[in-house]
Amino acid sequence: MSIEYVLVSEGEQDEPIELPTEEDGSLLLSTIAAQFAGASGLKYRSGGRLRGLRLVEERVPPPAEGWAAHRYFCAFPRAGAPPSPRPRCSDLIVLGLPWKTGEDAVREYFASFGELLMVQVKRDAKTGLSKGFGFIKFAEYEAQLRALGRRHMIDGRWCDVRIPNSKDGGAAAHRKVFVGRCTESITAEDLREYFGAFGQVTDVFVPKPFRAFSFVTFLDPEVAQSLCGQDHIIKGVSVNISTASPKREQGPRSQLLSWGLLESGAPRVYSWPPDAWPHSAHSAAPPDTKAYLKYE
C-alpha cells in the first residue's frame, strides 16, 4: 500500500497538517504526538456526532470508509484521568571510556543529568584494567533521556550512551535515517534542532569531508520510520529521508559494513573502519577516528 497523508489538526477549528500513514494504512500514535504533544488519539465528526478512532498497539487504524472521508483532530486525556504509567529507566551502556576513567569520574560526570542508582566500569578479571565501557542507571526517566540525547566528553574523550540490547544491530538500523541532498550550509546542529521537533534525537553524523548526506538517529524507532520516504525543507534546502539497513558484506574486506538504502534509486553507502579505507595517490587517509562513508 502506498503512503497516504491524513489531514489532522489539534482542535476542530485549527489549521490541519498532513501526517503520513504506514504501509498497512494505519497512523502511528508517535507520528501524531510528534506534532501534537500529549495527544492520545484521533476523533472526527460524522453526521453531527463526534466519533473516536480506536488505538491498537500504538497505531490508529483508518475508519471503515477510509481516511479521505473525514478531517481529524486530536483527542487528549481528560483532566483528572489517572496518569499513564511512567516509563521505567533502563541500564545504559557507556561506550568509549578512557582506560584511566573509574567509577568515581563516571558518577561525577553523569550526576549533572540526574540522580544515579548504579555506576559500573567493566574491568578485566585478571588484570583489573578497564575494558573501555561501563553501565549507569538513572532514578528518573527524564534524566535518562537527557543523557541519551547527546555525546559526552569524559576525561578528554568522546563517549556515547546507548540502551544495550541483544538485538541492537537491528534496533539501531530502525532508529537511524539517511538524510540525502544535504548542502554544506546544513550543520549537525541544524539537523539536531530540526529533527528534534519530531522526537528525541540521540546522534547526528555529518561525514568529513562533506559528502552531501548525513545520518540522524532517534531514540524511538517509530519516529524514525514515520519520516522515511518524505522530503523536508531545512534552511531552504529540500532533503530526502530514507531508511538505512545494515548488513555484512562477504568478500576480502571482512570488516566492510554496508548501508544499503531501501529507497529505489538512492545511493548505496559503505562504511569502512579507518584502517581499511582505500587510499590512492591523490587522497590522504581521513583524519577522523570515526568510520568513513563512501557512496556511489
Side-chain angles (χ1 to χ4, degrees), residues 211-229:
R211 297 184 184 278
F213 65 87
S214 303
F215 284 103
V216 176
T217 305
F218 293 89
L219 180 62
D220 187 345
E222 290 188 350
V223 173
Q225 297 307 302
S226 71
L227 296 174
C228 293

Side-chain angles (χ1 to χ4, degrees), residues 169-184:
H174 292 303
R175 293 189 292 110
K176 185 191 294 282
V177 297
F178 175 91
V179 185
R181 302 200 299 256
C182 293
T183 65
E184 291 188 80

Side-chain angles (χ1 to χ4, degrees), residues 124-142:
D124 186 272
K126 295 182 179 179
T127 65
L129 298 176
S130 169
K131 291 185 177 181
F133 70 94
F135 295 90
I136 59 174
K137 186 174 184 177
F138 288 98
E140 299 292 334
Y141 187 70
E142 290 75 12

Side-chain angles (χ1 to χ4, degrees), residues 34-35 177 179 186-201 204 216 218 223 227 230-241:
Q35 297 294 333
V177 297
V179 185
I186 300 176
T187 66
E189 287 306 313
D190 293 330
L191 293 170
R192 185 180 294 276
E193 179 180 357
Y194 178 85
F195 288 108
F198 297 92
Q200 183 77 24
V201 174
V204 175
V216 176
F218 293 89
V223 173
L227 296 174
Q230 301 183 38
D231 287 351
H232 291 256
I233 305 297
I234 305 177
K235 297 182 71 173
V237 177
S238 176
V239 300
N240 180 260
I241 313 302

Side-chain angles (χ1 to χ4, degrees), residues 217-280:
T217 305
F218 293 89
L219 180 62
D220 187 345
E222 290 188 350
V223 173
Q225 297 307 302
S226 71
L227 296 174
C228 293
Q230 301 183 38
D231 287 351
H232 291 256
I233 305 297
I234 305 177
K235 297 182 71 173
V237 177
S238 176
V239 300
N240 180 260
I241 313 302
S242 303
T243 299
S245 175
K247 62 181 180 179
R248 287 285 174 185
E249 292 282 337
Q250 302 296 324
R253 293 188 182 275
S254 60
Q255 292 180 296
L256 176 62
L257 175 66
S258 76
W259 288 87
L261 302 186
L262 303 184
E263 297 297 319
S264 176
R268 291 182 59 83
V269 182
Y270 303 94
S271 172
W272 283 278
D275 57 353
W277 183 260
H279 304 296
S280 70

Side-chain angles (χ1 to χ4, degrees), residues 36-248:
F36 307 103
S40 57
L42 292 179
K43 51 189 176 180
Y44 63 95
R45 190 173 294 278
S46 177
R49 295 185 178 183
L50 285 177
R51 299 180 183 273
L53 292 174
R54 58 195 177 94
L55 185 64
V56 181
E57 297 181 349
E58 300 300 304
R59 292 172 178 259
V60 180
E65 57 271 31
W67 289 116
H70 306 284
R71 208 195 84 178
Y72 306 87
F73 52 100
C74 295
F76 294 91
R78 291 182 179 179
S84 58
R86 291 173 59 84
R88 299 180 62 182
C89 293
S90 308
D91 290 352
L92 305 178
I93 187 169
V94 185
L95 302 170
L97 286 172
W99 309 118
K100 64 179 182 180
T101 302
E103 281 87 353
D104 290 344
V106 174
R107 182 180 295 277
E108 180 180 357
Y109 175 83
F110 285 105
S112 63
F113 293 87
E115 180 186 354
L116 288 160
L117 299 179
M118 180 268 292
V119 175
Q120 182 184 47
V121 173
K122 299 300 290 184
R123 300 181 180 276
D124 186 272
K126 295 182 179 179
T127 65
L129 298 176
S130 169
K131 291 185 177 181
F133 70 94
F135 295 90
I136 59 174
K137 186 174 184 177
F138 288 98
E140 299 292 334
Y141 187 70
E142 290 75 12
Q144 173 173 307
L145 289 180
R146 288 194 293 270
L148 285 168
R150 52 173 290 186
R151 301 190 73 196
H152 306 273
M153 177 68 75
I154 303 176
D155 285 345
R157 183 172 179 179
W158 285 110
C159 302
D160 292 296
V161 175
R162 297 285 184 266
I163 298 177
N165 190 325
S166 59
K167 300 178 181 179
D168 191 53
H174 292 303
R175 293 189 292 110
K176 185 191 294 282
V177 297
F178 175 91
V179 185
R181 302 200 299 256
C182 293
T183 65
E184 291 188 80
S185 66
I186 300 176
T187 66
E189 287 306 313
D190 293 330
L191 293 170
R192 185 180 294 276
E193 179 180 357
Y194 178 85
F195 288 108
F198 297 92
Q200 183 77 24
V201 174
T202 61
D203 187 57
V204 175
F205 176 55
V206 178
K208 297 180 181 179
F210 176 71
R211 297 184 184 278
F213 65 87
S214 303
F215 284 103
V216 176
T217 305
F218 293 89
L219 180 62
D220 187 345
E222 290 188 350
V223 173
Q225 297 307 302
S226 71
L227 296 174
C228 293
Q230 301 183 38
D231 287 351
H232 291 256
I233 305 297
I234 305 177
K235 297 182 71 173
V237 177
S238 176
V239 300
N240 180 260
I241 313 302
S242 303
T243 299
S245 175
K247 62 181 180 179
R248 287 285 174 185

